[in-house]
Amino acid sequence: MNWLPGLALGALLLLGIQPASAADLLKALIVDGQNNHHWQATTPILKAALESSGRFTVDVATSPPSTQSLSNFSPDFSKYSVIVLNYNGNDWSAATKTAFEDYVTNGGGVVSVHAADNSFVQWVAYNKMIGVGGWAGRNQASGPMIRWRDGKQVLDAGGPGSRGTHGAFFSWDVEVRDPEHPITKGLPPKWLHTRDELYSMLAGPAENVTVLATAHSDTTQQNEPILMVISYGKGRVFHTTMGHNEESMKDVGFVTTLNRGAEWAATGEVTIPIPTNFPTADKVSVWTPPAK
């Protein structure tokens, strides 16, 4: 068995995670290169977080800047078990879109991180994959919003106006709504997330969506979906609206749900354990990437 080097191994053991053999590792691809958030700083955190689980090897596909054509941007999605989208930018070429749709339809896994749900407002298949999104001209015609009311998720058509907003950058509670799903099974019913943007008023097709966790919005006073899973064809999508910046991602709750969500999207199962330093209802827990 090929064990990870000493420092990384020590970090895994501190989290209660046993490293996998090379044959067991899942291949993940992070897509970045365009984002109105600081992807140059957050992609390394996402990569370190996934690798720290002992479950993934991670590659990165960086698109050209928004000022250049994306006609030659064509990652080979089929090589990977899961695609992690840290991307919010220009449309891909028709061929790249088709390849991505085929990948997910045929069973590929996807993780949509934070502003990735701002992308591709006119791409029908993508909006079905993420369930709901915001900004970029989304409005009432984009579809309903999802809220949690009276113990269940409901669709809310809302009134006219734009979709996608957030309030203050602050620390807020995450409440688990589906404690039996593999991603959230064993998590505390409520935990305190570090400072982040709390997305609200996301809208879209809202098809085949299961809300895993919510947070009470300071702008809408609604219980807004924070963690979701979506089925698209044979594929599985994990959608997290957390992770605005480096501070927001360096949170044990974010890292744990990212890793477990990525494993579920890739395999349909979760083997990554919940670390002993997972945040509580009244205390955040800061994650430190392993030393290189």
Side-chain angles (χ1 to χ4, degrees):
M1 182 175 290
N2 295 321
W3 299 103
L4 298 177
L7 287 174
L9 175 59
L12 292 173
L13 295 177
L14 283 173
L15 288 172
I17 298 170
Q18 295 298 318
S21 68
D24 294 331
L25 294 176
L26 300 167
K27 293 185 68 176
L29 176 69
I30 299 173
V31 177
D32 66 10
Q34 293 185 24
N35 201 323
N36 61 336
H37 297 62
H38 193 193
W39 60 267
Q40 297 93 334
T42 57
T43 286
I45 296 172
L46 292 172
K47 186 175 188 291
L50 290 164
E51 291 175 342
S52 75
S53 72
R55 195 72 174 96
F56 300 97
T57 60
V58 183
D59 294 333
V60 178
T62 299
S63 80
S66 58
T67 55
Q68 298 180 20
S69 170
L70 274 71
S71 60
N72 294 322
F73 180 64
S74 55
D76 186 356
F77 301 116
S78 66
K79 292 170 53 178
Y80 299 93
S81 299
V82 62
I83 311 299
V84 179
L85 298 171
N86 191 28
Y87 184 89
N88 172 22
N90 290 350
D91 272 357
W92 297 341
S93 69
T96 300
K97 285 183 175 181
T98 297
F100 189 72
E101 289 182 31
D102 289 346
Y103 166 81
V104 184
T105 299
N106 293 321
V110 177
V111 175
S112 173
V113 178
H114 195 61
D117 65 22
N118 302 182
S119 295
F120 305 125
V121 66
Q122 300 298 331
W123 184 3
V124 174
Y126 183 82
N127 283 280
K128 290 184 176 181
M129 291 176 198
I130 63 171
V132 288
W135 294 273
R138 289 179 172 86
N139 54 34
Q140 187 180 29
S142 301
M145 298 171 284
I146 302 175
R147 266 67 183 271
W148 190 271
R149 296 174 182 159
D150 300 322
K152 60 183 178 181
Q153 67 183 63
V154 298
L155 299 182
D156 182 351
S162 60
R163 296 293 185 260
T165 188
H166 62 79
F169 193 73
F170 72 112
S171 183
W172 32 269
D173 292 330
V174 178
E175 294 190 66
V176 172
R177 302 302 188 177
D178 188 344
E180 295 305 315
H181 191 277
I183 296 172
T184 47
K185 191 175 182 65
L187 295 181
K190 179 186 290 188
W191 79 86
L192 188 60
H193 177 47
T194 195
R195 296 196 316 149
D196 205 343
E197 291 177 343
L198 200 169
Y199 275 9
S200 58
M201 295 187 69
L202 301 182
E207 299 172 0
N208 305 310
V209 179
T210 299
V211 173
L212 302 185
T214 65
H216 192 74
S217 169
D218 59 323
T219 57
T220 65
Q221 303 304 314
Q222 297 284 335
N223 292 315
E224 302 279 359
I226 298 299
L227 304 178
M228 296 166 272
V229 290
I230 303 97
S231 60
Y232 183 88
K234 296 179 181 178
R236 291 173 293 271
V237 180
F238 172 63
H239 182 169
T240 175
T241 69
M242 299 191 289
H244 169 71
N245 63 7
E246 303 99 301
E247 178 184 359
S248 305
M249 289 185 179
K250 289 181 179 179
D251 173 89
V252 173
F254 173 82
V255 170
T256 301
T257 53
L258 170 78
N259 290 343
R260 288 167 65 92
E263 184 182 26
W264 174 85
T267 69
E269 300 177 349
V270 174
T271 64
I272 297 170
I274 299 166
T276 57
N277 63 335
F278 195 85
T280 65
D282 55 7
K283 185 179 180 181
V284 300
S285 183
V286 178
W287 180 74
T288 302
K292 293 183 179 180

mmCIF file of all heavy atoms in Angstrom, residues 42 45-46 49 84 86 111-114 174 191-194 196 227 238 240-261 278-279 285 287:
data_model
loop_
_atom_site.group_PDB
_atom_site.id
_atom_site.type_symbol
_atom_site.label_atom_id
_atom_site.label_comp_id
_atom_site.label_asym_id
_atom_site.label_seq_id
_atom_site.Cartn_x
_atom_site.Cartn_y
_atom_site.Cartn_z
ATOM 1 N N THR A 42 -8.702 30.308 -4.102
ATOM 2 C CA THR A 42 -9.583 29.264 -3.562
ATOM 3 C C THR A 42 -9.373 27.891 -4.195
ATOM 4 O O THR A 42 -9.570 26.882 -3.519
ATOM 5 C CB THR A 42 -11.063 29.673 -3.705
ATOM 6 O OG1 THR A 42 -11.360 29.942 -5.082
ATOM 7 C CG2 THR A 42 -11.366 30.897 -2.867
ATOM 8 N N ILE A 45 -7.103 25.757 -2.168
ATOM 9 C CA ILE A 45 -7.751 25.281 -0.947
ATOM 10 C C ILE A 45 -8.650 24.088 -1.257
ATOM 11 O O ILE A 45 -8.642 23.080 -0.539
ATOM 12 C CB ILE A 45 -8.545 26.414 -0.279
ATOM 13 C CG1 ILE A 45 -7.601 27.526 0.165
ATOM 14 C CG2 ILE A 45 -9.340 25.889 0.919
ATOM 15 C CD1 ILE A 45 -8.315 28.771 0.664
ATOM 16 N N LEU A 46 -9.430 24.190 -2.323
ATOM 17 C CA LEU A 46 -10.288 23.067 -2.719
ATOM 18 C C LEU A 46 -9.445 21.824 -3.017
ATOM 19 O O LEU A 46 -9.796 20.707 -2.605
ATOM 20 C CB LEU A 46 -11.113 23.438 -3.953
ATOM 21 C CG LEU A 46 -12.180 24.513 -3.772
ATOM 22 C CD1 LEU A 46 -12.773 24.897 -5.121
ATOM 23 C CD2 LEU A 46 -13.278 24.034 -2.822
ATOM 24 N N ALA A 49 -8.102 20.424 0.212
ATOM 25 C CA ALA A 49 -9.180 19.826 0.997
ATOM 26 C C ALA A 49 -9.525 18.439 0.470
ATOM 27 O O ALA A 49 -9.621 17.468 1.245
ATOM 28 C CB ALA A 49 -10.411 20.725 0.958
ATOM 29 N N VAL A 84 -15.356 19.260 -10.117
ATOM 30 C CA VAL A 84 -15.632 20.284 -9.102
ATOM 31 C C VAL A 84 -15.571 21.645 -9.781
ATOM 32 O O VAL A 84 -14.527 22.041 -10.300
ATOM 33 C CB VAL A 84 -14.622 20.204 -7.945
ATOM 34 C CG1 VAL A 84 -14.904 21.281 -6.907
ATOM 35 C CG2 VAL A 84 -14.665 18.814 -7.306
ATOM 36 N N ASN A 86 -15.383 25.409 -9.769
ATOM 37 C CA ASN A 86 -15.038 26.666 -9.100
ATOM 38 C C ASN A 86 -15.017 27.730 -10.196
ATOM 39 O O ASN A 86 -14.061 28.480 -10.346
ATOM 40 C CB ASN A 86 -13.671 26.546 -8.415
ATOM 41 C CG ASN A 86 -13.383 27.714 -7.485
ATOM 42 O OD1 ASN A 86 -14.290 28.324 -6.936
ATOM 43 N ND2 ASN A 86 -12.103 28.023 -7.304
ATOM 44 N N VAL A 111 -19.678 18.619 -8.534
ATOM 45 C CA VAL A 111 -19.812 19.440 -7.336
ATOM 46 C C VAL A 111 -19.845 20.895 -7.781
ATOM 47 O O VAL A 111 -18.910 21.368 -8.437
ATOM 48 C CB VAL A 111 -18.658 19.215 -6.346
ATOM 49 C CG1 VAL A 111 -18.784 20.175 -5.166
ATOM 50 C CG2 VAL A 111 -18.635 17.769 -5.863
ATOM 51 N N SER A 112 -20.914 21.602 -7.446
ATOM 52 C CA SER A 112 -21.048 23.027 -7.738
ATOM 53 C C SER A 112 -20.743 23.796 -6.466
ATOM 54 O O SER A 112 -21.431 23.640 -5.455
ATOM 55 C CB SER A 112 -22.467 23.345 -8.221
ATOM 56 O OG SER A 112 -22.664 24.736 -8.353
ATOM 57 N N VAL A 113 -19.674 24.626 -6.513
ATOM 58 C CA VAL A 113 -19.231 25.367 -5.334
ATOM 59 C C VAL A 113 -19.588 26.847 -5.473
ATOM 60 O O VAL A 113 -19.162 27.513 -6.421
ATOM 61 C CB VAL A 113 -17.712 25.219 -5.121
ATOM 62 C CG1 VAL A 113 -17.255 26.035 -3.911
ATOM 63 C CG2 VAL A 113 -17.329 23.750 -4.940
ATOM 64 N N HIS A 114 -20.370 27.348 -4.535
ATOM 65 C CA HIS A 114 -20.689 28.762 -4.375
ATOM 66 C C HIS A 114 -21.083 29.393 -5.716
ATOM 67 O O HIS A 114 -22.119 29.070 -6.269
ATOM 68 C CB HIS A 114 -19.514 29.479 -3.718
ATOM 69 C CG HIS A 114 -19.851 30.842 -3.170
ATOM 70 N ND1 HIS A 114 -20.797 31.032 -2.188
ATOM 71 C CD2 HIS A 114 -19.371 32.078 -3.471
ATOM 72 C CE1 HIS A 114 -20.881 32.328 -1.901
ATOM 73 N NE2 HIS A 114 -20.024 32.977 -2.679
ATOM 74 N N VAL A 174 -25.926 26.363 10.146
ATOM 75 C CA VAL A 174 -26.370 25.397 9.137
ATOM 76 C C VAL A 174 -27.217 24.360 9.849
ATOM 77 O O VAL A 174 -26.797 23.800 10.864
ATOM 78 C CB VAL A 174 -25.172 24.720 8.448
ATOM 79 C CG1 VAL A 174 -25.652 23.685 7.437
ATOM 80 C CG2 VAL A 174 -24.276 25.756 7.768
ATOM 81 N N TRP A 191 -24.900 23.338 13.086
ATOM 82 C CA TRP A 191 -23.538 23.746 13.397
ATOM 83 C C TRP A 191 -23.295 25.162 12.899
ATOM 84 O O TRP A 191 -23.976 25.667 12.004
ATOM 85 C CB TRP A 191 -22.510 22.776 12.825
ATOM 86 C CG TRP A 191 -22.210 22.903 11.357
ATOM 87 C CD1 TRP A 191 -21.300 23.740 10.783
ATOM 88 C CD2 TRP A 191 -22.803 22.160 10.288
ATOM 89 N NE1 TRP A 191 -21.278 23.563 9.430
ATOM 90 C CE2 TRP A 191 -22.198 22.599 9.089
ATOM 91 C CE3 TRP A 191 -23.767 21.150 10.221
ATOM 92 C CZ2 TRP A 191 -22.536 22.079 7.838
ATOM 93 C CZ3 TRP A 191 -24.120 20.635 8.987
ATOM 94 C CH2 TRP A 191 -23.504 21.092 7.814
ATOM 95 N N LEU A 192 -22.289 25.795 13.492
ATOM 96 C CA LEU A 192 -21.967 27.180 13.189
ATOM 97 C C LEU A 192 -20.898 27.223 12.105
ATOM 98 O O LEU A 192 -19.787 26.725 12.296
ATOM 99 C CB LEU A 192 -21.484 27.901 14.455
ATOM 100 C CG LEU A 192 -21.289 29.412 14.364
ATOM 101 C CD1 LEU A 192 -22.597 30.111 14.003
ATOM 102 C CD2 LEU A 192 -20.745 29.958 15.689
ATOM 103 N N HIS A 193 -21.265 27.818 10.975
ATOM 104 C CA HIS A 193 -20.345 27.975 9.849
ATOM 105 C C HIS A 193 -19.596 29.299 10.004
ATOM 106 O O HIS A 193 -20.148 30.283 10.486
ATOM 107 C CB HIS A 193 -21.153 27.961 8.550
ATOM 108 C CG HIS A 193 -20.351 28.175 7.305
ATOM 109 N ND1 HIS A 193 -19.174 27.518 7.053
ATOM 110 C CD2 HIS A 193 -20.564 28.984 6.231
ATOM 111 C CE1 HIS A 193 -18.701 27.898 5.878
ATOM 112 N NE2 HIS A 193 -19.524 28.793 5.364
ATOM 113 N N THR A 194 -18.345 29.313 9.596
ATOM 114 C CA THR A 194 -17.555 30.536 9.697
ATOM 115 C C THR A 194 -18.109 31.622 8.784
ATOM 116 O O THR A 194 -19.045 31.396 8.020
ATOM 117 C CB THR A 194 -16.081 30.239 9.360
ATOM 118 O OG1 THR A 194 -15.261 31.323 9.779
ATOM 119 C CG2 THR A 194 -15.895 30.017 7.872
ATOM 120 N N ASP A 196 -19.265 33.925 5.935
ATOM 121 C CA ASP A 196 -19.498 33.550 4.542
ATOM 122 C C ASP A 196 -20.664 34.371 4.008
ATOM 123 O O ASP A 196 -21.373 35.040 4.773
ATOM 124 C CB ASP A 196 -19.821 32.051 4.455
ATOM 125 C CG ASP A 196 -19.498 31.436 3.094
ATOM 126 O OD1 ASP A 196 -19.329 32.191 2.100
ATOM 127 O OD2 ASP A 196 -19.430 30.196 3.014
ATOM 128 N N LEU A 227 -27.071 23.194 1.230
ATOM 129 C CA LEU A 227 -26.525 21.963 0.667
ATOM 130 C C LEU A 227 -27.654 21.223 -0.027
ATOM 131 O O LEU A 227 -28.717 21.007 0.573
ATOM 132 C CB LEU A 227 -25.919 21.074 1.750
ATOM 133 C CG LEU A 227 -24.832 21.678 2.648
ATOM 134 C CD1 LEU A 227 -24.403 20.658 3.693
ATOM 135 C CD2 LEU A 227 -23.644 22.149 1.825
ATOM 136 N N PHE A 238 -23.695 17.410 -6.338
ATOM 137 C CA PHE A 238 -23.724 17.995 -4.999
ATOM 138 C C PHE A 238 -23.535 19.491 -5.152
ATOM 139 O O PHE A 238 -22.556 19.950 -5.743
ATOM 140 C CB PHE A 238 -22.613 17.400 -4.131
ATOM 141 C CG PHE A 238 -22.462 18.084 -2.791
ATOM 142 C CD1 PHE A 238 -23.493 18.054 -1.869
ATOM 143 C CD2 PHE A 238 -21.290 18.753 -2.464
ATOM 144 C CE1 PHE A 238 -23.354 18.688 -0.624
ATOM 145 C CE2 PHE A 238 -21.137 19.390 -1.238
ATOM 146 C CZ PHE A 238 -22.181 19.356 -0.317
ATOM 147 N N THR A 240 -23.210 23.034 -3.170
ATOM 148 C CA THR A 240 -23.003 23.772 -1.924
ATOM 149 C C THR A 240 -22.917 25.249 -2.246
ATOM 150 O O THR A 240 -22.165 25.664 -3.136
ATOM 151 C CB THR A 240 -21.739 23.319 -1.169
ATOM 152 O OG1 THR A 240 -21.554 24.169 -0.018
ATOM 153 C CG2 THR A 240 -20.493 23.348 -2.026
ATOM 154 N N THR A 241 -23.680 26.076 -1.540
ATOM 155 C CA THR A 241 -23.599 27.517 -1.760
ATOM 156 C C THR A 241 -22.570 28.158 -0.828
ATOM 157 O O THR A 241 -22.332 29.355 -0.913
ATOM 158 C CB THR A 241 -24.967 28.193 -1.562
ATOM 159 O OG1 THR A 241 -25.344 28.145 -0.183
ATOM 160 C CG2 THR A 241 -26.037 27.518 -2.409
ATOM 161 N N MET A 242 -21.957 27.389 0.035
ATOM 162 C CA MET A 242 -20.903 27.903 0.897
ATOM 163 C C MET A 242 -19.599 28.065 0.112
ATOM 164 O O MET A 242 -19.441 27.490 -0.963
ATOM 165 C CB MET A 242 -20.678 26.961 2.082
ATOM 166 C CG MET A 242 -21.898 26.789 2.967
ATOM 167 S SD MET A 242 -21.550 25.933 4.536
ATOM 168 C CE MET A 242 -21.267 24.256 3.950
ATOM 169 N N GLY A 243 -18.674 28.870 0.655
ATOM 170 C CA GLY A 243 -17.345 28.935 0.075
ATOM 171 C C GLY A 243 -17.042 30.181 -0.727
ATOM 172 O O GLY A 243 -16.464 30.096 -1.814
ATOM 173 N N HIS A 244 -17.385 31.365 -0.188
ATOM 174 C CA HIS A 244 -17.155 32.612 -0.917
ATOM 175 C C HIS A 244 -15.677 32.920 -1.113
ATOM 176 O O HIS A 244 -15.264 33.368 -2.183
ATOM 177 C CB HIS A 244 -17.829 33.771 -0.170
ATOM 178 C CG HIS A 244 -17.450 35.117 -0.679
ATOM 179 N ND1 HIS A 244 -17.870 35.590 -1.908
ATOM 180 C CD2 HIS A 244 -16.681 36.119 -0.137
ATOM 181 C CE1 HIS A 244 -17.388 36.808 -2.100
ATOM 182 N NE2 HIS A 244 -16.664 37.152 -1.045
ATOM 183 N N ASN A 245 -14.864 32.700 -0.091
ATOM 184 C CA ASN A 245 -13.452 33.066 -0.183
ATOM 185 C C ASN A 245 -12.612 32.105 0.642
ATOM 186 O O ASN A 245 -13.105 31.076 1.121
ATOM 187 C CB ASN A 245 -13.232 34.523 0.242
ATOM 188 C CG ASN A 245 -13.593 34.774 1.704
ATOM 189 O OD1 ASN A 245 -13.894 33.851 2.458
ATOM 190 N ND2 ASN A 245 -13.555 36.025 2.111
ATOM 191 N N GLU A 246 -11.332 32.463 0.821
ATOM 192 C CA GLU A 246 -10.432 31.571 1.545
ATOM 193 C C GLU A 246 -10.909 31.332 2.969
ATOM 194 O O GLU A 246 -10.853 30.195 3.463
ATOM 195 C CB GLU A 246 -9.014 32.166 1.579
ATOM 196 C CG GLU A 246 -8.419 32.447 0.206
ATOM 197 C CD GLU A 246 -8.545 33.900 -0.200
ATOM 198 O OE1 GLU A 246 -9.697 34.397 -0.273
ATOM 199 O OE2 GLU A 246 -7.503 34.542 -0.433
ATOM 200 N N GLU A 247 -11.328 32.397 3.650
ATOM 201 C CA GLU A 247 -11.806 32.244 5.022
ATOM 202 C C GLU A 247 -13.000 31.300 5.083
ATOM 203 O O GLU A 247 -13.073 30.427 5.952
ATOM 204 C CB GLU A 247 -12.190 33.608 5.600
ATOM 205 C CG GLU A 247 -12.742 33.539 7.019
ATOM 206 C CD GLU A 247 -13.207 34.877 7.547
ATOM 207 O OE1 GLU A 247 -13.100 35.894 6.825
ATOM 208 O OE2 GLU A 247 -13.699 34.922 8.699
ATOM 209 N N SER A 248 -13.938 31.464 4.158
ATOM 210 C CA SER A 248 -15.151 30.644 4.157
ATOM 211 C C SER A 248 -14.846 29.171 3.900
ATOM 212 O O SER A 248 -15.536 28.291 4.418
ATOM 213 C CB SER A 248 -16.118 31.163 3.090
ATOM 214 O OG SER A 248 -16.390 32.537 3.266
ATOM 215 N N MET A 249 -13.818 28.923 3.078
ATOM 216 C CA MET A 249 -13.464 27.538 2.754
ATOM 217 C C MET A 249 -12.608 26.886 3.824
ATOM 218 O O MET A 249 -12.594 25.652 3.920
ATOM 219 C CB MET A 249 -12.731 27.485 1.407
ATOM 220 C CG MET A 249 -13.609 27.752 0.211
ATOM 221 S SD MET A 249 -12.684 27.519 -1.326
ATOM 222 C CE MET A 249 -13.960 27.863 -2.544
ATOM 223 N N LYS A 250 -11.889 27.695 4.612
ATOM 224 C CA LYS A 250 -11.046 27.116 5.660
ATOM 225 C C LYS A 250 -11.879 26.888 6.914
ATOM 226 O O LYS A 250 -11.624 27.428 7.990
ATOM 227 C CB LYS A 250 -9.859 28.026 5.939
ATOM 228 C CG LYS A 250 -8.837 28.034 4.814
ATOM 229 C CD LYS A 250 -7.654 28.937 5.132
ATOM 230 C CE LYS A 250 -6.633 28.931 4.019
ATOM 231 N NZ LYS A 250 -5.492 29.829 4.310
ATOM 232 N N ASP A 251 -12.877 26.062 6.742
ATOM 233 C CA ASP A 251 -13.862 25.761 7.772
ATOM 234 C C ASP A 251 -14.072 24.256 7.750
ATOM 235 O O ASP A 251 -14.293 23.677 6.666
ATOM 236 C CB ASP A 251 -15.159 26.513 7.450
ATOM 237 C CG ASP A 251 -16.297 26.143 8.367
ATOM 238 O OD1 ASP A 251 -16.435 26.781 9.417
ATOM 239 O OD2 ASP A 251 -17.050 25.202 8.038
ATOM 240 N N VAL A 252 -13.974 23.625 8.877
ATOM 241 C CA VAL A 252 -14.076 22.160 8.921
ATOM 242 C C VAL A 252 -15.430 21.694 8.395
ATOM 243 O O VAL A 252 -15.527 20.650 7.738
ATOM 244 C CB VAL A 252 -13.809 21.642 10.349
ATOM 245 C CG1 VAL A 252 -14.092 20.144 10.439
ATOM 246 C CG2 VAL A 252 -12.372 21.944 10.761
ATOM 247 N N GLY A 253 -16.492 22.465 8.655
ATOM 248 C CA GLY A 253 -17.794 22.095 8.125
ATOM 249 C C GLY A 253 -17.833 22.135 6.620
ATOM 250 O O GLY A 253 -18.382 21.233 5.969
ATOM 251 N N PHE A 254 -17.238 23.183 6.027
ATOM 252 C CA PHE A 254 -17.184 23.268 4.571
ATOM 253 C C PHE A 254 -16.362 22.134 3.989
ATOM 254 O O PHE A 254 -16.772 21.462 3.046
ATOM 255 C CB PHE A 254 -16.597 24.613 4.126
ATOM 256 C CG PHE A 254 -16.372 24.692 2.641
ATOM 257 C CD1 PHE A 254 -17.414 25.011 1.791
ATOM 258 C CD2 PHE A 254 -15.121 24.419 2.089
ATOM 259 C CE1 PHE A 254 -17.214 25.057 0.402
ATOM 260 C CE2 PHE A 254 -14.915 24.460 0.719
ATOM 261 C CZ PHE A 254 -15.973 24.785 -0.128
ATOM 262 N N VAL A 255 -15.160 21.918 4.538
ATOM 263 C CA VAL A 255 -14.267 20.892 4.006
ATOM 264 C C VAL A 255 -14.892 19.505 4.113
ATOM 265 O O VAL A 255 -14.847 18.703 3.167
ATOM 266 C CB VAL A 255 -12.906 20.943 4.730
ATOM 267 C CG1 VAL A 255 -12.049 19.730 4.375
ATOM 268 C CG2 VAL A 255 -12.175 22.232 4.374
ATOM 269 N N THR A 256 -15.498 19.217 5.246
ATOM 270 C CA THR A 256 -16.093 17.892 5.450
ATOM 271 C C THR A 256 -17.223 17.639 4.470
ATOM 272 O O THR A 256 -17.301 16.566 3.840
ATOM 273 C CB THR A 256 -16.604 17.751 6.891
ATOM 274 O OG1 THR A 256 -15.514 17.939 7.796
ATOM 275 C CG2 THR A 256 -17.227 16.384 7.130
ATOM 276 N N THR A 257 -18.127 18.606 4.321
ATOM 277 C CA THR A 257 -19.256 18.400 3.399
ATOM 278 C C THR A 257 -18.802 18.430 1.951
ATOM 279 O O THR A 257 -19.356 17.703 1.108
ATOM 280 C CB THR A 257 -20.365 19.438 3.640
ATOM 281 O OG1 THR A 257 -19.821 20.772 3.600
ATOM 282 C CG2 THR A 257 -21.022 19.208 4.996
ATOM 283 N N LEU A 258 -17.777 19.235 1.630
ATOM 284 C CA LEU A 258 -17.213 19.198 0.280
ATOM 285 C C LEU A 258 -16.694 17.808 -0.047
ATOM 286 O O LEU A 258 -17.012 17.230 -1.096
ATOM 287 C CB LEU A 258 -16.078 20.215 0.159
ATOM 288 C CG LEU A 258 -15.239 20.115 -1.113
ATOM 289 C CD1 LEU A 258 -15.965 20.736 -2.290
ATOM 290 C CD2 LEU A 258 -13.864 20.766 -0.924
ATOM 291 N N ASN A 259 -15.870 17.260 0.843
ATOM 292 C CA ASN A 259 -15.261 15.959 0.581
ATOM 293 C C ASN A 259 -16.295 14.847 0.522
ATOM 294 O O ASN A 259 -16.261 13.992 -0.374
ATOM 295 C CB ASN A 259 -14.217 15.657 1.653
ATOM 296 C CG ASN A 259 -12.995 16.537 1.548
ATOM 297 O OD1 ASN A 259 -12.747 17.163 0.520
ATOM 298 N ND2 ASN A 259 -12.215 16.613 2.623
ATOM 299 N N ARG A 260 -17.210 14.842 1.470
ATOM 300 C CA ARG A 260 -18.242 13.806 1.478
ATOM 301 C C ARG A 260 -19.180 13.976 0.279
ATOM 302 O O ARG A 260 -19.626 12.982 -0.316
ATOM 303 C CB ARG A 260 -19.012 13.856 2.801
ATOM 304 C CG ARG A 260 -18.185 13.344 3.978
ATOM 305 C CD ARG A 260 -18.802 13.674 5.326
ATOM 306 N NE ARG A 260 -20.068 13.018 5.579
ATOM 307 C CZ ARG A 260 -20.228 11.848 6.181
ATOM 308 N NH1 ARG A 260 -19.151 11.178 6.605
ATOM 309 N NH2 ARG A 260 -21.425 11.338 6.393
ATOM 310 N N GLY A 261 -19.469 15.235 -0.085
ATOM 311 C CA GLY A 261 -20.307 15.481 -1.251
ATOM 312 C C GLY A 261 -19.644 15.043 -2.535
ATOM 313 O O GLY A 261 -20.289 14.481 -3.428
ATOM 314 N N PHE A 278 -15.292 18.653 14.165
ATOM 315 C CA PHE A 278 -16.379 19.256 13.392
ATOM 316 C C PHE A 278 -17.021 20.357 14.235
ATOM 317 O O PHE A 278 -17.131 20.239 15.452
ATOM 318 C CB PHE A 278 -17.428 18.200 13.020
ATOM 319 C CG PHE A 278 -18.377 18.645 11.941
ATOM 320 C CD1 PHE A 278 -18.047 18.506 10.615
ATOM 321 C CD2 PHE A 278 -19.597 19.236 12.271
ATOM 322 C CE1 PHE A 278 -18.915 18.928 9.606
ATOM 323 C CE2 PHE A 278 -20.468 19.668 11.278
ATOM 324 C CZ PHE A 278 -20.123 19.516 9.944
ATOM 325 N N PRO A 279 -17.431 21.474 13.611
ATOM 326 C CA PRO A 279 -18.009 22.578 14.391
ATOM 327 C C PRO A 279 -19.259 22.165 15.162
ATOM 328 O O PRO A 279 -19.948 21.215 14.794
ATOM 329 C CB PRO A 279 -18.330 23.636 13.334
ATOM 330 C CG PRO A 279 -18.341 22.908 12.032
ATOM 331 C CD PRO A 279 -17.380 21.787 12.177
ATOM 332 N N SER A 285 -15.084 25.890 13.596
ATOM 333 C CA SER A 285 -13.855 25.100 13.626
ATOM 334 C C SER A 285 -13.069 25.409 12.373
ATOM 335 O O SER A 285 -13.539 25.170 11.256
ATOM 336 C CB SER A 285 -14.185 23.604 13.700
ATOM 337 O OG SER A 285 -13.013 22.836 13.796
ATOM 338 N N TRP A 287 -10.159 25.069 9.613
ATOM 339 C CA TRP A 287 -9.358 24.018 8.980
ATOM 340 C C TRP A 287 -8.045 24.611 8.485
ATOM 341 O O TRP A 287 -8.024 25.678 7.880
ATOM 342 C CB TRP A 287 -10.124 23.416 7.799
ATOM 343 C CG TRP A 287 -9.385 22.331 7.074
ATOM 344 C CD1 TRP A 287 -9.165 21.063 7.496
ATOM 345 C CD2 TRP A 287 -8.784 22.442 5.779
ATOM 346 N NE1 TRP A 287 -8.456 20.356 6.555
ATOM 347 C CE2 TRP A 287 -8.210 21.179 5.486
ATOM 348 C CE3 TRP A 287 -8.652 23.468 4.849
ATOM 349 C CZ2 TRP A 287 -7.545 20.932 4.300
ATOM 350 C CZ3 TRP A 287 -7.981 23.222 3.656
ATOM 351 C CH2 TRP A 287 -7.442 21.958 3.391
#
